[in-house]
Amino acid sequence: MRYGIISDIHANLSALEESLRLAAERGVDEYLCLGDIVGYGASPNECCDLVRGLRATVICGNHDVAAIHPGREIWFTPAARACILWTREVLTKENREFLHSLRPQEQVGEAVLCHGSLADPDLYTTTPEEALLSLRLLEGPLAFFGHTHFAEWFRLGPGLSLPEEFLQPDGGLCTLEPGYQYLVNPGAVGQPRDGNRQGSFAVWDTEAGTVEIIRFDYDFAEAQRRMYAAGLPENMALRLGLGI
Ligand code: ZN
């Protein structure tokens, strides 16, 4: 089985379409989505419609929750708050219901899906110490997470007290070795922050025992134009060109 793993789409339709085209080219059978379909970008309904059409296993991210729960935006920066208030206004009833139906964690085969951390969906996993928080709660060999918009994986080997960290700003292949536990972040489809403006997603091949992180070019200028046309904050559009 080949799973396409997409996370942090953030209403960026150009990036989502390109990631799905490339995933289909690579023979993906099913999709897993790690949350934050909406927020920041100008195409929340189009992105929700596309993800719903995939019949994927989808969990909610903090932006998806904030988009349907007034008050949750108080934790956001002013620019992120402006985006989520706009998103709340434009979301269709069907897509609000879709976001309401999502749970914060799902199990798919040997893997657990979470947004930020297995300990709390809103926690950021950026260091080996933070990764250990998730790994202590992980019974199986593999979990996928998003939220940081950094493509990377952590690996905890037998006898090690801290996991090793492998950043993947240019993509890479993770071979899942027996006896190890892995936490894999496929990176952000629609708002990368690891210094590479290319979008990012992953393909988990259960027969080969690998997870490949794939970086891809997309028309970020089109995503920026849509954001300007929607009146969304300029800095949120500019960052798409910088990968920050
Ligand atoms: Zn996000």
Side-chain angles (χ1 to χ4, degrees), residues 179-217:
Y180 287 79
Q181 284 182 304
Y182 294 84
L183 273 184
V184 183
N185 187 330
V189 168
Q191 196 207 69
R193 294 178 188 166
D194 52 5
N196 179 353
R197 74 177 177 211
Q198 291 179 303
S200 190
F201 72 102
V203 175
W204 172 31
D205 186 326
T206 57
E207 269 154 53
T210 57
V211 181
E212 185 180 6
I213 293 176
I214 296 150
R215 305 304 294 248
F216 63 92
D217 288 315

Side-chain angles (χ1 to χ4, degrees), residues 4-10 16 19 32-37 59 61 114-116 144-150 184-192 199-202 216:
I5 304 169
I6 52 178
S7 188
D8 297 283
I9 298 161
H10 284 297
L16 177 60
S19 69
L32 312 177
C33 176
L34 309 180
D36 280 5
I37 303 166
I59 58 169
C114 65
H115 186 63
F144 293 102
F145 72 103
H147 195 39
T148 64
H149 303 201
F150 272 59
V184 183
N185 187 330
V189 168
Q191 196 207 69
S200 190
F201 72 102
F216 63 92

Side-chain angles (χ1 to χ4, degrees), residues 96-219:
R96 281 200 308 273
E97 285 171 359
F98 168 61
L99 295 179
H100 258 294
S101 72
L102 304 177
R103 304 195 309 169
Q105 241 178 65
E106 295 280 357
Q107 176 97 35
V108 176
E110 286 197 308
V112 182
L113 317 183
C114 65
H115 186 63
S117 160
L118 288 175
D120 183 316
D122 288 356
L123 272 185
Y124 288 93
T125 301
T126 59
T127 64
E129 289 79 6
E130 288 162 350
L132 192 60
L133 281 179
S134 275
L135 288 162
R136 282 195 178 132
L137 298 168
L138 180 64
E139 288 170 15
L142 179 61
F144 293 102
F145 72 103
H147 195 39
T148 64
H149 303 201
F150 272 59
E152 65 173 322
W153 64 79
F154 294 90
R155 181 180 79 166
L156 184 62
L160 284 182
S161 54
L162 264 187
E164 303 161 276
E165 182 175 17
F166 302 89
L167 290 160
Q168 303 296 315
D170 301 311
L173 185 74
C174 175
T175 300
L176 305 170
E177 302 200 42
Y180 287 79
Q181 284 182 304
Y182 294 84
L183 273 184
V184 183
N185 187 330
V189 168
Q191 196 207 69
R193 294 178 188 166
D194 52 5
N196 179 353
R197 74 177 177 211
Q198 291 179 303
S200 190
F201 72 102
V203 175
W204 172 31
D205 186 326
T206 57
E207 269 154 53
T210 57
V211 181
E212 185 180 6
I213 293 176
I214 296 150
R215 305 304 294 248
F216 63 92
D217 288 315
Y218 74 97
D219 190 351

